[in-house]
Amino acid sequence: MAAHLMSYPWEEVPRVKSPTDGTAAALSLPLNALGTNWRGHLPTLGRQLQAATDTARRVELLLEAGAIYRNCLNDWDRAAETFETVLVLDPANVAAFEALESIYRLGWETDKLAPLLIDRATHVRDEAEQAKLLLRVAEMYLQVGEAQRAAITLETAHQINPRDDCIAARLARLKAPSEPYVATDPLEQLDAEMERTDQAARRVRTLESMAAIHHHRGQLDKMAELLEKVLALDSRRLPCHRRLERYYRQGGEYKRLARVLKRHGAVAPPEERAAVHEQLAQVYTGPLSDPERGRKAYRTVLSLQSDHCEALRAMVELSSERGKWRGAARALEALAGRDDSPGPKAELLYRLAVIQLDKLRNSKAAEEALMRALEAAPNHSGSLERL
């Protein structure tokens, strides 16, 4: 459940009775409709979600939140959790299915992806489409060396649509007595393929396939080793960055995580770059206890997205801790310019005034900040006292 958005008695929510047509527009909305303060928009969505009484509206809000987590904040774990909540409310939601399939596939989460595709097949009315979904499940099992599961799945697909020549051919190959399927270790086949090719693109694909098998078998150290080799050949493989980031974060290997995030930030698409550098800054200021590098990373975030509220707040604190008062004042000024709530805006301006007067010895700028604080909140006690 999307507990990070709100605490809500989901078991009391009725499911949507008719399938909804989840659209790409729902998942791309945050990229073109909310400005750039994605993280700041999430609490608003949470409040709207709590107030919503219509299930379809809740689904719409959750799809929007999931898209923000996935497309804008590079937080695929929370995106998955949010889209999973959509399927609790609306088990046939196409947009949530497609988003989760992408996330699970990129994360090599076979144990989640196979049940998802099988469940999706139960909500598809067209028998040919049902069979194709099961064919994809069977192919996925074959890729990780689970021939028996693949055969069972293909049998089911063939029963649903015996006219599909591709399914029939795959099944015949597995069952043919003259050409029995030999369940060889797929890693041995891929090792042999690596020996035969010196083409970088082919080696990258082979290494990724080997890493996927090690991930499926729980051999995560070997998976990480192979993913590092992939990125050494092609640093633009974004899914590999995300897989390594998850692995290093879960294992507490923060120096390696910082290194991967730094490389990821250099090649990420423009809409993701600020979020990746924010994560890098959080690693530096948190577990690595390196505030100076954290400050530099936050400066990179602000160079990409000048109104990034989380980065501005962090810059206020980091600059204040290191006595960089002009930097703290600039960040407070920017935050105050974005906050329309009277109380919080007045607090920001009051804090700016204190820095201007006590640290920068600029009484005129301090007085201007106090006057603006009182314009926002006429009864702000701190500002009244300072004036």
Side-chain angles (χ1 to χ4, degrees), residues 173-351:
R173 179 173 177 268
L174 283 175
K175 299 176 70 174
S178 59
E179 191 180 334
Y181 180 83
V182 180
T184 57
D185 187 342
L187 282 174
E188 294 179 6
Q189 299 173 350
L190 292 169
D191 275 329
E193 189 173 324
M194 283 292 291
E195 293 291 332
R196 291 194 301 267
T197 183
D198 57 359
Q199 295 179 357
R202 187 71 175 269
R203 292 177 72 84
V204 162
R205 289 193 297 271
T206 304
L207 286 167
E208 284 184 321
S209 297
M210 294 171 70
I213 293 171
H214 283 294
H215 177 273
H216 180 71
R217 295 178 178 178
Q219 298 163 342
L220 301 184
D221 288 349
K222 187 63 178 178
M223 175 206 72
E225 178 186 332
L226 291 169
L227 290 178
E228 291 282 8
K229 290 181 179 179
V230 170
L231 292 178
L233 290 170
D234 184 358
S235 64
R236 298 165 298 175
R237 306 294 284 189
L238 298 180
C240 293
H241 286 289
R242 295 190 183 103
R243 291 163 188 150
L244 276 174
E245 287 160 14
R246 173 183 286 183
Y247 172 68
Y248 290 145
R249 184 176 282 111
Q250 290 175 344
E253 297 186 59
Y254 294 111
K255 288 184 178 180
R256 291 182 175 179
L257 174 59
R259 188 183 68 243
V260 175
L261 285 168
K262 192 171 182 179
R263 287 185 297 178
H264 187 180
V267 298
E271 65 270 17
E272 292 183 16
R273 203 163 293 161
V276 175
H277 282 284
E278 181 189 7
Q279 291 177 6
L280 175 61
Q282 290 168 346
V283 171
Y284 280 138
T285 58
L288 292 184
S289 301
D290 192 338
E292 187 55 36
R293 285 188 176 178
R295 218 162 61 87
K296 289 179 181 178
Y298 277 122
R299 279 206 299 267
T300 301
V301 174
L302 292 172
S303 71
L304 296 166
Q305 190 176 316
S306 60
D307 59 352
H308 194 291
C309 291
E310 295 301 317
L312 288 169
R313 291 191 186 97
M315 286 297 288
V316 171
E317 303 306 326
L318 290 169
S319 297
S320 298
E321 288 173 6
R322 297 183 65 81
K324 307 283 187 179
W325 299 112
R326 294 190 187 281
R330 284 194 297 270
L332 283 166
E333 182 71 58
L335 281 170
R338 288 194 54 79
D339 201 324
D340 294 327
S341 303
K345 186 182 186 76
E347 283 296 326
L348 290 168
L349 289 166
Y350 172 73
R351 189 172 176 185

Side-chain angles (χ1 to χ4, degrees), residues 17 27 30 71 106 115 122 142 215 239 265 278 323 366:
K17 294 181 181 179
L27 296 184
N71 299 342
L106 290 172
T122 66
L142 284 173
H215 177 273
E278 181 189 7

Side-chain angles (χ1 to χ4, degrees), residues 6-127:
M6 57 174 288
S7 176
Y8 194 85
W10 294 104
E11 65 278 3
E12 299 175 11
V13 178
R15 291 189 174 191
V16 177
K17 294 181 181 179
S18 58
T20 60
D21 294 325
T23 62
L27 296 184
S28 62
L29 173 64
L31 292 179
N32 52 36
L34 302 174
T36 53
N37 186 21
W38 317 119
R39 196 179 299 281
H41 188 61
L42 289 170
T44 302
L45 286 178
R47 289 190 294 270
Q48 292 175 350
L49 191 60
Q50 196 163 16
T53 57
D54 178 72
T55 303
R57 175 60 176 158
R58 296 189 189 111
V59 166
E60 179 185 347
L61 292 166
L62 285 164
L63 286 174
E64 188 175 337
I68 292 174
Y69 282 125
R70 187 186 68 174
N71 299 342
C72 309
L73 299 180
N74 196 42
D75 191 338
W76 287 45
D77 289 336
R78 285 191 169 181
E81 186 180 345
T82 305
F83 291 127
E84 287 163 0
T85 302
V86 171
L87 292 182
V88 171
L89 297 174
D90 179 4
N93 190 278
V94 176
F97 267 124
E98 291 179 349
L100 278 173
E101 181 183 354
S102 172
I103 292 170
Y104 291 161
R105 193 176 296 281
L106 290 172
W108 293 332
E109 297 184 76
T110 308
D111 293 341
K112 292 183 178 181
L113 179 56
L116 178 78
L117 292 175
I118 292 169
D119 186 48
R120 184 174 181 179
T122 66
H123 291 95
V124 174
R125 296 178 182 177
D126 182 71
E127 290 184 348

